[in-house]
Structures are given as C-alpha cells and as structure tokens.
Amino acid sequence: MTFGNMWLKPEEILLKNAFKLWVTEKDNEYFVLQRRRGYGEGGGGLTGLLVGTLDTMLDSTSKVAPFRILHHTPDSQVYWSIACGVTNEEIVQHWDWLQQNIMRTLSVFDSSEDITSFVQGKIRGLIAEEGKLSMVLEDDPEKFREAFLRFEKWFELPPKEKLVTYYSCSYWKGSMPCQGWLYLSTNFLCFYSYLLGSEVKLVISWDDIWKLEKTSNVILTESIHVLAHGEDHYFSMLLHLNETFVIMEQLADYSIKRLFDKEAFQREPALSDPLQITKRGLEAHAKSEQFRTFFRLPKEENLLEVHESFLWVPFSHFNTLGKICLSENYLCFASQDGSQCHIIIPMREVVNVEKPDTSSRALTVCVRGKRALRFSEVREYQRLANTIRSRCGISPSPQHSASTEAIRGECQSLINHFEDNPEDVTLMVGQKDSSKAVSTEALMTVFHPQDVENLDPKMLKEKMKEQSWNIHFSEYGRGTSMFFTRKTRDLIVRGVPEALRGELWMLFSGAVNDMATHPGYYSELVEQSLGTSTLATDEIERDLHRSLPEHPAFQSDTGISALRRVLTAYAYRNPKIGYCQAMNILTSVLLLYAKEEEAFWLLVAVCERMLPDYFNRRIIGALVDQAVFEDLIRENLPQLVEHMTDLSFFSSVSLSWFLTLFISVLPIESAVNVVDCFFYDGIKAILQLGLAVLDYNMEALISCHDDAEAVTILNKFFDSVTNKDSPLPPTVQQAPVGNNDKASHFNVDISELIREAYEKYGNIRTEEVESSRKRNKLHVIQTLEDTTKQNVIRVVSQEVRFSAPQLDKLYNLFKRQHFLSCYWTMKSPALLHHDPSLAYLEQYQLGFQQFSTLFSLLEPWAFCSNKSTLSLWIFRLIDENQDGLINFKEFCYALDTLYSGSFTNKLKFLFKLHLPPAFDLPEDGVIRKSPERGRGKVDLQAYLKQWQNEILKKEETIKDLPRINQTQFIQFSKTLYNIFHGDPEEELLYRAVAHVTSLLLRMEEVGRRLQEPSSPPESTKPANATASSAEEESPTEDASNTPEGSDISRNSQDAGPDLTEIEWSFSFEQVLASLLNEPAIVSFFERPVDVQTKLEQAKVAQLKLKA
C-alpha cells in the first residue's frame, strides 16, 4: 500500500505502549508530529531495529506510514490520528497548514470538547475535499449526484437551480467557526453545517453581493470575505482557496452581466444556458476573457488551445519560452512573463505551415509578405500544424494544390536563409504591406498638411521620430504580425509621429482586425442610419459643435459631417450604448488621425473592449475605474491619503480623465500622447498618469484647505502641460482651458510626465487592474442599485402608511421577483422590462405572472378560488397606463389599501375590481397596448404632460364611481364569498352577504316602482340577464364553496316577478351603506394585518415558489 501525503479519518489511539514505537519531532498545545522509529536519521538503536523488522514482516496491506500527526488537548489523555506521510517533507506540509489555518482559530473555543469536535469535523471535510478533487478528475457523476441531492434537501431551492461545485470549509458565525460545506450554484452561494446539534444554513444570491474578496486577519491566515445585505460572511480553511475564489468571482460576475447588463452570451455556448453552467465552462470563459483582453481581440474569439513552446526571436537572436494561444481566427504567442514580447497572427495572413524538424518538434508558420515564424519544442506540434492548416483553409484542395510546392519551396528557402544568416532579420519579420500606407483622408492631413520643404527644428525632430519607428519596423515587423516588445513601449512613451499615429492606434487597439474582417460594414451602417431620428441622434446633433470647437477641422462641414456619420453609425450599431457624452470628444480626436472608417472601428474598440461599460447612462465602467484609482492612491500615495482621508474628491475630479482619456483637461497636442499610451497599454496607462499627476502636485494638494482649492491647483497644472515636440502650428494647438497666466506656473512637458508615470508606476500589472475592476464593479453596481431603492422609497413613502423598513423589505421582494423569472432562462421577458436609463420608479417592473406570484405571498386574505382571476383584475386595476407592467409605486398603493386602508377604501378597491378596466378586458390577460421600449424616439412632452396630470390629479370621491351592473354585482358577491372562505366567522359572514344582497335587490325594486310613472330606469345595457343568472355565472366549485350561494337568485325571485325582465344596477354608496349595517363584515375588513410577519413569511417562501 502506498500512503503518500494524506489526511486520515480521526481515530483514537493509545500512546502508551511497551515498544515506544514513535519519536516526537514537533509538538505544540494541540498537535504532535511523530516519526516512526527505524526511519529517518540514525539507526534508532535496538528499538528502531525491532520496529523496522516488525514493519517488514507485516504484509503490504498493514504497513504503517513512517510519519504521522496527532491531535490532542492539554486536559485530555486521548490522542487522535489525523494525518500520515511517507517523507518528512510531506508531513511538514500538513503540519505547516495546520499551524497557519487551524492553530489561531482554536483559541476562540471555550472547551476541549469543542476544539476536538471542530478539528475532527475539519479533517473529515478535508478528506472529502480531496476525494471530491479526485472525483472531479475521474468525472464521477455518482458523487456529484449525492452532493446535489444534499444541496436540494438542505436549501429547498427550485429543482432547476444548477449546482456548479462544492467545497469543505469553515464559516464564521460571530467569533465561532462552523465546519461544513460551501455550495456554489448558478444563482446562489449556500453554506450548510450541522455540528453538536446546531444547524447553520446560509443562502445568498449572487446579485445581492456587495463585496467579494480574499482577506486575512489575526485569527484567520486567509479567508474569503462576502458582504451581502449589510452582513459580513467569512469562509476559511479551504483546501483550494484560490480556485474557490476564482469560481465565486466568475459566478458573481456572470450574475451581474446576465441580470444587470442583460448580456445573453450568445457566442459562448458554455454560458448561454443558466441551467447548464459548469465549473469547466466558467474556467474556460475566464481564460478566454483574459486571452481577448491581453491580445486585444474581438469578442467573438475564444481560447481553444494553449501550447508551451519556444519562438525564435530574430531581433534578439535567441529562442524565447512562452505559450502559443489559438482561437478561431488568431494564432498568438506571448513570452513567459508577457512583457518581453508577444505577437498576434491573424489566420487570414497565414499562407502555409511547415514541419521542418521532427527531432526538435518544430513547426514554421509562413505569413503573407515573406514572413516566417519558427516555433520549437511544441509537444503536439503535428496536431497544432494540422489545426492551423484547417483553420486557414490550407489543407490540400484543388485551389491550393497548384501553389503548394511553390509555397513550400519559398518557406524552406526562408528558413534556410534565416539559419545561415541570423543577423538578417529583415527577411524574417517582413516589410510593411503597401495596403497599410497611412491614409490621406485623416482630418489632420487635410487641415494641417506637412510642409516637406520647411523643416524647422520641431519638424526635424518629428522626422527623427519617424526614422526611429522605421528602424523599429525593419527589426520587429510592421502591420498585423508585428512583434510587441519593451522597445515598442519605449518608443510610445517618447511620442508617436503625427504621420504614424492613425496606423499605430489601429494596430495597438486591435481595430485593424475588426476592419479587415468586416469589409463594407461601415458604409452599410452609414446608409442604414442616415435620416434616422432617435434620442441618440438628437443628442449627437446637440454636441457636434462642442467637439474640439477650436480646431479648424471642426469649424467646417467636412469635420462635422464625418463626426456625425461616425457617431450616428455607432449608435445604430449598438443601441444599448447609443450615444453618451464624451464620445463626441474622443471621436473627434480619432478623426484627426484616422480616416473615417478607421475612426469608427477605433470607437468600437474603445467602447466595447478597452473601456467596457463606460459609455452608458450610468457610466458604470468609469465609476469602477475610479474605485480602482482610489485603491491605487491608497497603495502608492500614502502621504496624500493621510492628509485627505476622504478620497471621493479624487473620484469626482478624475471622472473626466477616464471618460475622455485626459483630452478634456489637457491641450490637444499633449492629450494625443496620452491616447498613444492608452491604445498600447489600455486603462493601465490612464491610471498611471493619474497617479503621476497627483504625485507631481502632492505638496500643493496637502497644503490646500478645501476641494475648490485642490481643483484650482489641478486645473493650473493641466494648463501648464505642453508638448515641446509638437509640430502643430498655433492655430491647431489648443488654448489653455483655465487660468491663462502661465507666467505664475512653470511648464511641464507631457513626454516627461508620461515617462515619470511609467518609471514610478509602470509595475502596476494589467491582471491586477482587471481583478480590481471585478471586485469594485460589485460595489459600484450595488451602490447605484441602493441609490435607486432609496429614491423610490422616498417617493412612495409620502403616499403610503408603510414604514421605511417595511418599504425596504417590500422593495427587495419586488426586485427579487423580477430577477426570479430571469434566474433560470436567458429569454425572460422580464429582462426587457429592466432599463436602468429610465426614471427610478420604472427601472424594475413586473408583468402579470410575476405580479400574481408575489401577490399570492402578500395578499391579506386567503382567497379560496379564482385566485388567478382576482390577481388579474387587481393587476389590471393598478396598471394605470395599461402597458402590461406595474412599478413598485403602483404595487405599494394596492397593498397599502388592502393592508391599512379604511373600510370604505378597501370596499372601494374591491368595487373597482368589478368595473372596467379591470373587469371587462380579455380573460387571456394579454394586454393589447404595449409601450415602445428601448432607445427609440422619446416624446418628452408626453412625459411632462403625464407628470403634470399626476400632480394635479384630485382625490377620487365615491360619487365619481360608476354604478355596478347586474353581472358585475353578481361577481362582486362571489368575490366576497371567496374572501371569507376559511375564516373562523365564515358562516356568519356568508349570511351577512346574503342579507345585504337581498336588501339591495329589494331597494332596487322599490326604487324602480317609484320611478316607473315618470321615467324609464337608467340602463346602458339590454336587459338580457336576470338575477337568477347568478347560478349560471357561478362555477360548480364556487357553489360548493358558498353555502348561501343560491340566496342571490332566491332573494331576487322573492323581490317580485317583474324583476326578471328589467336590468338593475347599484351605486357604490348603496353597497357601502348596506355593508356598513353588517358588523361581521365591517369587523372582518377592519381586522389589522401583521405586515411584519407577512413580509418575513414572503421572504422565506419566495424562493420556494415557481417563478
């Protein structure tokens, strides 16, 4: 038997024995590490020899591991074996884990029994965890099925909920840890523990989480901290803490994107169905996301294969170790640290793949433009070569067979030449393709053509920069297959030449690939969007002349028209974003250096990849990056933090830095240098520069007395930033936006500022920024959601009798009901009803099915039958604009009336349920009128008129209500019977209703006879129904539930024979007066409702009902 490194099921052992078989190596208050005599250093003497002989004589199944760990407590003679190992190194790993994760925790227990119970539970959990790990590797469905059955039994969630994975861990409830199991499902984080008769159960939905982070404190070495509903939850002693945290982070992010961002994951089958989410699918999604971010690839690309290999780097003359990453349309390589070099090869550029050397497991990829890349020591080089060939369409076929030999010969000659002449790098990396020439249509070229003859010092420096880049291109390649290296970044920091800016922006952002794979797309968009009129186009027209108004290009129709076309086309392409302020400023700068179509694709790259969620109504992305910026300030500028403990000032002042990439605060000739860095390094470049700006002004900021003074300091600083190398004439350069008195402030060169930012803060890693983004996004979204809730509650609280805490719970129930219909499907219509750009009250709305489910949990009376019909009537009544949706305000008004309204108001509500529009709409519940949703043309005047009408709306009086006809009255009586069913006073209430019905019919007959000589009865409908029709209208089950159900018809017949031919109706006043004479009915309706209990019960039951 091979023991290996293992935890053992705790078993009691006897230490005192005749042979003293074990030697103690380490011990402390609670644990002992022992070595079996005869193993390790020395011979161990006679005892060691005897032990060794004994072990040798025993058969293999009963051999004893030479190292073990025991648990004990100071006041007990009992020892428990908890771990064993074959080598000292192995057992020490276990010992160290116990010291780091268990020892600190044990100090919180009061008794030895609690300590032993906890240790035993923890060890059993670790054994199960290791068993689960091997089970995952072996894909044991039976084990997972058992875990799923426990998950279903313990948490009673809907059976559709998909369990993703589970882990053994400790959950801290107060100062005491509970050993149990953490279950992670698609929509929920759950924990269960049962120890010493105490059950702990926790269910948190991912969309309720405010904070998710790894943390440590005095007692816990490392744990996962979850903040939800204002409560902190800590999970520790996880065997695989990092793996657990990544899965939790992925599930939280998946929930946010699906429920708040309404992302459908159409291009990712692994995430497109919430009922089929797996751990493997989440991990693949995370890797694809990192892959796309690093290489700036389109959202359609997924990481399919990763191969470790060496790539021959011609400019360095050596093989660099790294990884080949393959997606649907790209072959990428990054060196091991990611910074030395990386390269992106579009499959469309590959012309052939060769395997020149089987012994070195190498393959050579030949690319258009006489380029060849040699990868060696690729474990599965043959399969990789075939995969690349098939994806590039190079597999032997009629159209390729003719040129195959020529291509093979060309590639082989390239390889041979390269091996013979390693210094000749030009051939290997290739020259720039003629189709990549700088466009002459960029606005800067049109409005500021370079004077070739007049080479002043600035122009000479510009030419020297161009020469440096040309040398770089000759060494590292040019175009889509260029090597990205540290030297590339150094050139970027020094500033990109005006003539190359558009080309390099396209390359670094990945927009060059978008444009190449979508020929003609932009022209089609322009044609389709031409003449459209939406809210976005109105806003675009308003902002066109505010975009770099001082630049000559945007003082003419040429620039304005191009800007209009690009912004309108993008709004048409992506209505989810449409148009947002700051997009005009960014796009105008893009148009200066790139031709119109290129500017469009650059805008796509910025909005959809590089600055996700920036350009929407709530600018979530910018708020997230502000939070990341605050974290970096705390980490890198402690002196500033000590002086200004509230960093929210920097968040507010830096918003424009992030939204416009410093374009709105720096002169244009300096701002473009920042944009250069942004396209190469992403948001990291903006964060670094922000830190450098604050660092540069540290002393002044520390000495200022208020926020206004700090703003003035920063504005003066930005005005002083210049670009001494800019070749632009004064007519193009931007005048300072703040104080013009530059004499009082020295100038700062933008290149120096950027260089300083890279030197001081260049060690900020992109991976850390992305991780911080995920962490802060939860808090930003929940803060916005909480603001929405507080605003809604403030509006609603003025007109209802619910307390603020009750409204808070009601809102949570209402919002949860909205999400419940989205948890288990991607196609829920409820997602279409959630639009954060709308007014607060309209952001969350419920359709009829959602309302009906929630109302059944909160209704004040136990309706016995026709529950869905009554819910439908209530829904129609409170849906004032008849759009098939109700908001929180409408929902609260209805509940407030039914819970706390006076007898008259409750009765009026029930009375109106049996009048149009509630009673006579189609019974299928389909609403014929539907509002236009999305970012179409919004009639602002109509909104204002509706708002005004709501303000001026007078209180409805009982005299305003129309009369109720015979069909409606019969149904009204049935509704009362249904409401009273099951009540302790049911019989008394039924008799009271029968008595009121009889009385009203007699009154109607008397009134009719009095009116007969002078005038006919008021009637709007033909007399085609009789009082006896109550029996026809009432279903069988209603009759059985209504003991006095036939009283209506019986009393109507007693009233007189002529009533059968006359239509009758009642006013609300008559019905009210009659019911007020029945104390049993008045007492029933005035009975107080325990609102708090109702809300608590609804919260518990909500998840168990089918949404």
Side-chain angles (χ1 to χ4, degrees):
M1 176 181 179
T2 303
F3 290 96
N5 197 22
M6 58 191 290
W7 298 104
L8 299 175
K9 183 180 178 182
E11 288 184 1
E12 188 176 336
I13 65 165
L14 187 64
L15 258 193
K16 312 248 179 205
N17 55 65
F19 286 105
K20 294 192 176 294
L21 301 178
W22 297 88
V23 179
T24 298
E25 299 273 299
K26 294 183 180 184
D27 67 341
N28 59 37
E29 196 175 0
Y30 298 110
F31 299 103
V32 179
L33 189 157
Q34 294 184 328
R35 172 177 53 82
R36 193 161 174 82
R37 289 189 183 276
Y39 293 91
E41 294 179 6
L46 180 60
T47 308
L49 181 63
L50 288 171
V51 173
T53 306
L54 180 65
D55 289 348
T56 306
M57 290 172 63
L58 293 171
D59 65 65
S60 60
T61 58
S62 59
K63 280 189 179 179
V64 181
F67 296 93
R68 70 180 184 182
I69 297 176
L70 308 177
H71 161 65
H72 72 108
T73 53
D75 55 354
S76 171
Q77 294 300 312
V78 179
Y79 285 73
W80 301 82
S81 61
I82 59 172
C84 69
V86 172
T87 67
N88 185 60
E89 291 76 16
E90 288 176 348
I91 204 70
V92 166
Q93 285 181 356
H94 277 58
W95 179 264
D96 290 343
W97 191 90
L98 290 168
Q99 303 310 302
Q100 293 168 12
N101 292 277
I102 301 286
M103 279 299 292
R104 294 183 186 183
T105 307
L106 299 182
S107 62
V108 305
F109 291 101
D110 297 326
S111 70
S112 297
E113 290 78 9
D114 288 348
I115 289 174
T116 299
S117 295
F118 176 77
V119 171
Q120 289 179 349
K122 185 65 207 171
I123 299 303
R124 288 192 186 97
L126 292 172
I127 293 167
E129 180 74 17
E130 289 184 334
K132 180 178 79 77
L133 193 65
S134 62
M135 172 270 292
V136 170
L137 295 173
E138 296 163 9
D139 242 353
D140 185 343
E142 194 55 41
K143 289 269 187 184
F144 196 85
R145 175 70 183 156
E146 287 175 16
F148 180 66
L149 290 173
R150 290 197 300 271
F151 171 72
E152 276 190 322
K153 174 189 171 185
W154 287 338
F155 303 109
E156 300 180 278
L157 295 169
K160 289 187 289 185
E161 182 62 16
K162 175 71 169 64
L163 177 64
V164 175
T165 188
Y166 59 101
Y167 298 94
S168 166
C169 76
S170 292
Y171 167 62
W172 289 76
K173 192 176 184 184
S175 60
M176 299 292 287
C178 307
Q179 176 60 34
W181 290 92
L182 178 68
Y183 290 86
L184 308 179
S185 67
T186 305
N187 299 295
F188 301 97
L189 178 159
C190 306
F191 176 83
Y192 184 85
S193 171
Y194 186 82
L195 197 63
L196 302 175
S198 173
E199 184 181 60
V200 177
K201 193 184 292 187
L202 181 72
V203 179
I204 302 171
S205 58
W206 295 112
D207 55 273
D208 281 335
I209 291 178
W210 280 67
K211 187 180 285 186
L212 177 62
E213 61 182 355
K214 285 188 285 188
T215 185
S216 60
N217 56 37
V218 177
I219 295 177
L220 299 173
T221 306
E222 198 171 19
S223 62
I224 295 174
H225 172 214
V226 175
L227 173 63
H229 296 300
E231 294 182 17
D232 292 296
H233 307 276
Y234 292 90
F235 301 92
S236 66
M237 287 179 252
L238 286 140
L239 198 59
H240 305 282
L241 188 135
N242 287 330
E243 176 195 298
T244 309
F245 179 74
V246 168
I247 293 294
M248 292 171 76
E249 196 176 49
Q250 283 293 308
L251 284 166
D253 188 55
Y254 177 64
S255 180
I256 291 292
K257 285 180 177 175
R258 193 162 59 89
L259 301 175
F260 292 101
D261 300 344
K262 296 190 279 189
E263 194 169 318
F265 299 95
Q266 293 172 342
R267 299 187 185 94
E268 296 184 71
L271 301 183
S272 60
D273 183 358
L275 303 181
Q276 302 298 327
I277 298 299
T278 63
K279 181 182 166 190
R280 190 178 287 112
L282 287 168
E283 287 170 342
H285 171 70
K287 288 174 182 174
S288 290
E289 218 170 28
Q290 290 171 350
F291 166 68
R292 286 191 296 266
T293 302
F294 184 84
F295 291 108
R296 303 277 166 77
L297 297 179
K299 289 192 294 186
E300 297 81 6
E301 298 302 311
N302 293 296
L303 182 61
L304 303 177
E305 297 180 21
V306 178
H307 300 267
E308 195 170 85
S309 80
F310 286 91
L311 171 65
W312 178 260
V313 185
F315 47 84
S316 300
H317 307 305
F318 68 85
N319 283 305
T320 181
L321 178 63
K323 288 182 178 175
I324 299 171
C325 300
L326 198 68
S327 71
E328 290 86 348
N329 299 294
Y330 295 88
L331 172 67
C332 305
F333 177 87
S335 58
Q336 204 162 25
D337 62 355
S339 61
Q340 187 176 356
C341 77
H342 72 269
I343 187 167
I344 303 157
I345 307 166
M347 294 292 191
R348 64 181 184 275
E349 297 289 315
V350 177
V351 293
N352 199 21
V353 181
E354 284 294 319
K355 303 190 298 292
D357 187 357
T358 307
S359 62
S360 63
R361 297 183 296 182
L363 64 133
T364 301
V365 178
C366 302
V367 187
R368 294 184 200 283
K370 296 185 178 180
R371 306 176 218 181
L373 299 164
R374 182 187 176 94
F375 300 96
S376 60
E377 298 302 326
V378 184
R379 182 175 295 174
E380 298 183 66
Y381 70 96
Q382 194 160 357
R383 188 174 67 81
L384 177 61
N386 292 334
T387 302
I388 298 171
R389 281 200 195 95
S390 65
R391 292 201 172 276
C392 300
I394 302 173
S395 52
S397 57
Q399 63 265 37
H400 289 93
S401 57
S403 58
T404 301
E405 289 302 321
I407 292 171
R408 182 179 289 117
E410 183 182 335
C411 286
Q412 192 57 52
S413 66
L414 274 170
I415 296 159
N416 294 339
H417 177 91
F418 170 71
E419 288 173 344
D420 295 338
N421 305 281
E423 71 285 350
D424 189 357
V425 296
T426 307
L427 196 65
M428 196 63 182
V429 295
Q431 295 294 335
K432 181 188 168 188
D433 191 283
S434 59
S435 65
K436 303 293 177 189
V438 178
S439 169
T440 56
E441 293 174 273
L443 292 178
M444 193 63 83
T445 313
V446 176
F447 287 88
H448 175 49
Q450 290 187 8
D451 187 352
V452 183
E453 302 298 326
N454 180 22
L455 292 178
D456 59 19
K458 286 187 175 180
M459 283 305 298
L460 279 171
K461 196 159 187 178
E462 186 76 1
K463 289 297 176 187
M464 287 171 65
K465 277 187 187 176
E466 285 184 35
Q467 188 58 34
S468 297
W469 275 96
N470 286 328
I471 293 169
H472 185 78
F473 292 146
S474 70
E475 291 183 5
Y476 299 92
R478 188 170 187 172
T480 49
S481 301
M482 184 176 96
F483 280 93
F484 294 79
T485 68
R486 288 196 184 100
K487 191 172 180 183
T488 315
R489 180 182 280 116
D490 292 341
L491 286 173
I492 293 284
V493 171
R494 278 186 258 164
V496 174
E498 299 276 314
L500 296 177
R501 194 160 262 139
E503 175 192 345
L504 292 175
W505 285 359
M506 289 289 288
L507 181 64
F508 297 150
S509 66
V512 64
N513 291 314
D514 290 323
M515 194 168 88
T517 52
H518 294 84
Y521 176 79
Y522 175 67
S523 302
E524 288 174 16
L525 271 187
V526 170
E527 195 174 323
Q528 291 166 3
S529 62
L530 197 65
T532 56
S533 178
T534 64
L535 181 60
T537 57
D538 289 350
E539 291 175 340
I540 288 168
E541 287 299 322
R542 185 191 63 207
D543 288 347
L544 283 176
H545 294 279
R546 303 177 186 174
S547 312
L548 300 187
E550 71 288 340
H551 198 286
F554 298 100
Q555 294 169 358
S556 74
D557 185 58
T558 306
I560 294 294
S561 296
L563 183 59
R564 179 188 291 113
R565 286 191 295 271
V566 172
L567 291 173
T568 305
Y570 186 78
Y572 189 83
R573 165 193 164 88
N574 190 347
K576 187 177 174 182
I577 290 178
Y579 170 77
C580 180
Q581 278 190 335
M583 287 171 71
N584 60 320
I585 296 171
L586 176 61
T587 308
S588 56
V589 172
L590 299 178
L591 280 166
L592 289 177
Y593 294 98
K595 65 182 182 181
E596 194 174 312
E597 185 177 5
E598 291 174 340
F600 169 79
W601 286 113
L602 283 168
L603 185 62
V604 169
V606 171
C607 294
E608 297 175 16
R609 287 201 300 273
M610 300 185 74
L611 296 179
D613 297 326
Y614 260 61
F615 302 101
N616 53 38
R617 296 288 171 186
R618 302 202 290 179
I619 56 170
I620 287 173
L623 296 175
V624 169
D625 283 344
Q626 281 182 305
V628 174
F629 187 49
E630 276 189 34
D631 290 345
L632 290 171
I633 292 173
R634 289 188 188 93
E635 190 179 324
N636 294 280
L637 302 173
Q639 193 179 348
L640 192 61
V641 175
E642 284 173 21
H643 180 74
M644 303 181 75
T645 50
D646 182 11
L647 298 181
S648 58
F649 161 73
F650 295 114
S651 291
S652 57
V653 81
S654 65
L655 182 60
S656 62
W657 305 357
F658 292 103
L659 279 172
T660 67
L661 309 178
F662 283 93
I663 295 169
S664 63
V665 292
L666 287 173
I668 185 66
E669 66 275 9
S670 299
V672 290
N673 285 37
V674 179
V675 180
D676 296 339
C677 299
F678 168 75
F679 277 124
Y680 190 83
D681 271 321
I683 194 62
K684 175 176 174 284
I686 305 300
L687 293 166
Q688 287 173 184
L689 187 61
L691 290 172
V693 167
L694 297 182
D695 189 24
Y696 204 97
N697 294 278
M698 177 82 76
E699 290 183 14
L701 288 170
I702 287 175
S703 62
C704 67
H705 300 91
D706 54 36
D707 290 354
E709 191 178 341
V711 169
T712 304
I713 288 167
L714 290 172
N715 283 340
K716 280 185 177 180
F717 172 77
F718 286 129
D719 288 348
S720 72
V721 176
T722 61
N723 187 348
K724 65 179 189 295
D725 296 334
S726 175
L728 300 181
T731 54
V732 173
Q733 293 191 20
Q734 184 178 338
V737 294
N739 187 354
N740 288 320
D741 183 14
K742 285 198 176 181
S744 62
H745 205 287
F746 55 86
N747 290 340
V748 181
D749 185 67
I750 187 65
S751 295
E752 288 299 310
L753 186 62
I754 290 173
R755 185 182 56 75
E756 193 171 310
Y758 272 92
E759 284 179 0
K760 285 189 174 181
Y761 309 109
N763 59 346
I764 296 170
R765 295 172 62 242
T766 305
E767 295 82 0
E768 291 170 0
V769 171
E770 290 301 321
S771 176
S772 183
R773 273 178 160 180
K774 280 184 180 176
R775 185 174 64 252
N776 283 292
K777 185 175 182 180
L778 288 172
H779 187 264
V780 166
I781 283 185
Q782 296 295 6
T783 302
L784 291 170
E785 289 291 309
D786 194 57
T787 302
T788 297
K789 177 168 74 172
Q790 298 309 323
N791 283 323
V792 169
I793 289 174
R794 189 174 63 251
V795 170
V796 174
S797 64
Q798 297 170 5
E799 302 182 47
V800 296
R801 280 151 287 210
F802 291 117
S803 66
Q806 287 171 345
L807 281 174
D808 188 279
K809 289 180 179 178
L810 262 176
Y811 185 91
N812 291 337
L813 287 168
F814 189 88
K815 180 179 168 183
R816 166 61 60 83
Q817 196 62 45
H818 166 89
F819 279 145
L820 276 175
S821 60
C822 314
Y823 277 169
W824 300 286
T825 177
M826 282 291 188
K827 297 178 181 177
S828 167
L831 282 176
L832 303 176
H833 305 159
H834 177 226
D835 188 350
S837 67
L838 294 175
Y840 290 125
L841 276 171
E842 308 298 321
Q843 286 186 21
Y844 289 104
Q845 301 184 86
L846 301 184
F848 169 64
Q849 290 300 332
Q850 297 165 293
F851 164 81
S852 182
T853 304
L854 182 57
F855 189 76
S856 69
L857 297 172
L858 294 168
E859 61 191 2
W861 312 303
F863 297 128
C864 74
S865 63
N866 280 349
K867 188 178 268 190
S868 60
T869 306
L870 282 164
S871 293
L872 179 61
W873 293 344
I874 293 170
F875 182 81
R876 289 169 175 169
L877 178 63
I878 61 180
D879 179 19
E880 293 182 2
N881 59 358
Q882 296 181 23
D883 64 352
L885 301 169
I886 61 158
N887 61 34
F888 183 65
K889 182 179 176 183
E890 293 165 335
F891 182 76
C892 284
Y893 283 178
L895 271 189
D896 185 56
T897 301
L898 295 176
Y899 279 7
S900 310
S902 63
F903 175 75
T904 301
N905 284 338
K906 288 179 180 176
L907 197 64
K908 185 167 74 172
F909 187 89
L910 291 171
F911 189 84
K912 288 168 73 175
L913 286 183
H914 301 84
L915 296 170
F919 190 67
D920 66 351
L921 285 175
E923 289 295 328
D924 59 6
V926 175
I927 308 299
R928 305 307 177 197
K929 178 185 173 186
S930 179
E932 187 177 339
R933 300 229 157 246
R935 296 187 176 275
K937 183 76 171 175
V938 178
D939 189 344
L940 298 176
Q941 293 296 325
Y943 266 116
L944 290 171
K945 189 174 181 182
Q946 181 184 342
W947 183 44
Q948 188 178 26
N949 290 339
E950 284 182 6
I951 292 172
L952 298 175
K953 189 165 62 178
K954 59 175 183 161
E955 184 69 28
E956 182 182 57
T957 66
I958 57 176
K959 294 191 177 185
D960 296 328
L961 293 171
R963 295 173 72 85
I964 193 169
N965 67 30
Q966 54 198 35
T967 305
Q968 295 161 348
F969 179 72
I970 290 166
Q971 189 57 58
F972 176 77
S973 302
K974 289 183 194 174
T975 299
L976 290 176
Y977 285 133
N978 287 332
I979 288 173
F980 299 150
H981 178 69
D983 191 87
E985 303 290 328
E986 180 179 3
E987 187 69 25
L988 185 62
L989 289 164
Y990 280 170
R991 292 189 179 281
V993 174
H995 182 258
V996 168
T997 304
S998 174
L999 180 64
L1000 283 169
L1001 290 171
R1002 291 179 187 281
M1003 286 169 57
E1004 172 62 22
E1005 185 197 2
V1006 171
R1008 179 181 57 75
R1009 287 179 176 171
L1010 288 172
Q1011 287 184 356
E1012 266 181 353
S1014 56
S1015 62
E1018 292 181 15
S1019 178
T1020 56
K1021 295 188 178 182
N1024 57 356
T1026 66
S1028 61
S1029 64
E1031 292 175 353
E1032 297 169 17
E1033 291 285 336
S1034 176
T1036 307
E1037 65 266 27
D1038 279 0
S1040 64
N1041 289 330
T1042 313
E1044 307 292 336
S1046 60
D1047 283 359
I1048 301 173
S1049 55
R1050 186 165 59 247
N1051 290 332
S1052 64
Q1053 289 167 358
D1054 293 343
D1058 296 330
L1059 195 61
T1060 56
E1061 298 178 6
I1062 304 294
E1063 178 166 342
W1064 40 267
S1065 62
F1066 301 120
S1067 68
F1068 175 71
E1069 290 162 295
Q1070 290 175 301
V1071 175
L1072 176 63
S1074 303
L1075 289 172
L1076 279 170
N1077 287 322
E1078 298 295 333
I1081 293 178
V1082 174
S1083 172
F1084 176 86
F1085 281 109
E1086 290 186 341
R1087 193 182 299 161
V1089 177
D1090 187 346
V1091 179
Q1092 198 63 32
T1093 302
K1094 275 280 182 190
L1095 294 175
E1096 292 299 332
Q1097 290 172 346
K1099 181 181 177 182
V1100 172
Q1102 192 175 30
L1103 280 177
K1104 298 177 184 178
L1105 288 182
K1106 186 180 178 184

